[in-house]
Amino acid sequence: MSPDSIRTYQRYMASLYLPYGVTAVRDVGSEERVMPLLLAWVKRTPTAPDYYPVGADLISPDPNHIPAPWQIEVADSAAAAAKVREYYALGIRNIKLYWRLREPAFKGGLLEAQRLGMNVTAHVDFNIVAADRALSLGLRNFEHVLAWLPLALPQRAIDSIYQDVGRRVRTADGQFAGFFYLAVPEEWNAVGANNPRLADFIGSLKQADASVTPTLHVFAQRLGLTWFTSAARDFNEDASHFSTSDRARAIAGYRIMASYVKRLHDAGVRLNIGTDTPDPGKSVLSEMLLLHDAGIPMGDVFRIATLETAADIGHGSDLGAIEPGRRADMVLFSGTPLTRPRDLLGPKLVIKDGAGLAQAADDPGRAHSPKLTFP
């Protein structure tokens, strides 16, 4: 990557993040072929968000799965540990373990990263490495509250839900449009609001001092519960054809999922802000509003979005608060979002490294994009 191309990408990414107050970003998996760009971005600049890459997502080989461009296969524990060391030697300090990683490689990558003092986050799902097992192995940063569903539902119940939802969303051309956004809420409907297995797991998370990135917006936006909705990128994200009754059931399931996020907070489990969607800066603001909608006070939502998230990407000592010795990153709101949460969406000034200044001159909720200017 030439210096000019790096600056071009930085400016583009800055437009997605800085106007919304996001000054630091942890990646969750990128193609290794763009590693020169990712590593060049680690060098801080006041005109783009700080960037912390994880390399590619680590997965196990599977004859029935073709790795996505941002996934790297590691055959066993030794290979996973070797890949972690390779990333560490490049200067990477965060690692992402994906649910397709089987236990020997999962354990090998996790323990090697921890030995090196790296931060590990993981999406554990489908009981390849169950969430409670991952916790017992030493994982402390969990992505996606939805990934716990296999702890509470037997596989036969999940299969039955998938078959029923598949019949309901199958389109005339044979596509299962929006399947994910109906099936997962139906799983939460089956789990219910007071599942003892999940209650026990929440207690275990607190005891282990673990953290969770809920990613509520990715579902809520498809159900009409957010202040903006990213355009569906393909049929998988198209929920426009849901019937009125299906949408109501999906919203009920989402509310149950959000209630477990509130229980996490009430139990003292650290939460983080993450998006897993396009329009990432806007999605951060939406995620904050959804946490508040779930019953979390706005003061605590701000702590989640600053101190707690900074700590769980390994920067709790230099990001997340306005104190001597920390980086001079600040967001100045024209409104009072602590008492009027939707003031998050109003005009704001974003100061990066005490020098760069991004100005959101208009409410990001309007149809046009906010302006981004630098000195």
Side-chain angles (χ1 to χ4, degrees), residues 150-207:
L151 293 179
L153 290 177
Q155 189 59 49
R156 63 181 180 277
I158 295 174
D159 291 343
S160 177
I161 290 170
Y162 284 5
Q163 291 170 7
D164 176 57
V165 171
R167 288 191 293 268
R168 286 150 61 188
V169 302
R170 187 180 178 93
T171 59
D173 59 0
Q175 303 281 15
F176 295 91
F179 174 88
F180 184 65
Y181 301 97
L182 200 57
V184 170
E186 286 290 18
E187 290 178 87
W188 283 108
N189 283 328
V191 166
N194 293 292
N195 184 275
R197 185 80 187 278
L198 292 187
D200 288 346
F201 184 59
I202 289 172
S204 297
L205 289 168
K206 171 57 179 174
Q207 185 175 9

Side-chain angles (χ1 to χ4, degrees), residues 2-14 37 47-48:
S2 70
D4 285 347
S5 66
I6 291 169
R7 283 193 293 269
T8 298
Y9 278 108
Q10 283 182 324
R11 183 164 289 276
Y12 169 68
M13 296 304 287
L37 171 64
T47 59

Side-chain angles (χ1 to χ4, degrees), residues 39-374:
L39 296 174
W41 197 349
V42 172
K43 184 177 180 180
R44 286 166 47 200
T45 171
T47 59
D50 295 341
Y51 179 72
Y52 305 104
V54 301
D57 294 354
L58 304 189
I59 65 171
S60 293
D62 182 344
N64 299 312
H65 173 70
I66 299 173
W70 55 88
Q71 297 172 346
I72 288 292
E73 293 180 336
V74 288
D76 52 28
S77 177
K83 179 57 71 172
V84 168
R85 288 193 297 271
E86 175 188 333
Y87 286 164
Y88 183 85
L90 292 172
I92 292 173
R93 295 296 180 264
N94 289 271
I95 292 292
K96 167 73 176 287
L97 308 178
Y98 195 51
W99 67 263
R100 292 182 177 276
L101 198 60
R102 290 187 285 275
E103 182 168 321
F106 185 99
K107 185 177 180 180
L110 173 64
L111 295 182
E112 183 66 7
Q114 291 176 335
R115 183 186 72 81
L116 294 169
M118 302 174 77
N119 302 291
V120 185
T121 185
H123 176 175
V124 289
D125 209 341
F126 300 104
N127 278 341
I128 306 302
V129 177
D132 53 357
R133 176 59 177 161
L135 185 67
S136 71
L137 290 173
L139 179 68
R140 292 298 179 263
N141 297 316
F142 290 79
E143 293 182 354
H144 316 302
V145 69
L146 68 92
W148 308 346
L149 286 165
L151 293 179
L153 290 177
Q155 189 59 49
R156 63 181 180 277
I158 295 174
D159 291 343
S160 177
I161 290 170
Y162 284 5
Q163 291 170 7
D164 176 57
V165 171
R167 288 191 293 268
R168 286 150 61 188
V169 302
R170 187 180 178 93
T171 59
D173 59 0
Q175 303 281 15
F176 295 91
F179 174 88
F180 184 65
Y181 301 97
L182 200 57
V184 170
E186 286 290 18
E187 290 178 87
W188 283 108
N189 283 328
V191 166
N194 293 292
N195 184 275
R197 185 80 187 278
L198 292 187
D200 288 346
F201 184 59
I202 289 172
S204 297
L205 289 168
K206 171 57 179 174
Q207 185 175 9
D209 194 29
S211 73
V212 177
T213 304
T215 59
L216 294 174
H217 173 83
V218 67
F219 283 94
Q221 70 164 342
R222 300 297 165 203
L223 302 176
L225 302 177
T226 52
W227 63 275
F228 85 97
T229 300
S230 301
R233 290 171 289 183
D234 55 30
F235 73 90
N236 293 301
E237 295 183 347
D238 183 9
S240 62
H241 67 292
F242 286 0
S243 69
T244 300
S245 60
D246 279 347
R247 189 173 298 276
R249 286 188 60 82
I251 290 173
Y254 167 84
R255 297 294 187 200
I256 291 173
M257 178 174 69
S259 75
Y260 280 98
V261 175
K262 175 63 160 52
R263 289 180 69 164
L264 284 164
H265 173 263
D266 291 347
V269 177
R270 294 192 316 280
L271 299 179
N272 297 320
I273 292 291
T275 63
D276 206 29
T277 66
D279 301 311
K282 294 172 70 174
S283 296
V284 164
L285 299 184
S286 180
E287 191 79 9
M288 292 175 70
L289 290 174
L290 290 168
L291 291 175
H292 178 258
D293 289 345
I296 299 175
M298 279 304 293
D300 292 348
V301 170
F302 269 91
R303 182 180 179 86
I304 290 166
T306 54
L307 280 170
E308 294 188 4
T309 301
D312 286 310
I313 63 171
H315 288 274
S317 63
D318 55 347
L319 294 174
I322 302 173
E323 295 177 352
R326 292 181 184 255
R327 297 183 192 172
D329 295 354
M330 292 178 284
V331 184
L332 310 180
F333 294 93
S334 64
T336 54
L338 286 173
T339 55
R340 294 198 302 264
R342 286 188 65 87
D343 281 359
L344 278 175
L345 311 181
K348 59 185 67 66
L349 298 178
V350 183
I351 299 173
K352 175 69 170 57
D353 290 337
L357 180 65
Q359 181 175 1
D362 302 293
D363 183 340
R366 296 179 184 174
H368 52 85
S369 299
K371 297 176 182 177
L372 181 69
T373 58
F374 298 106

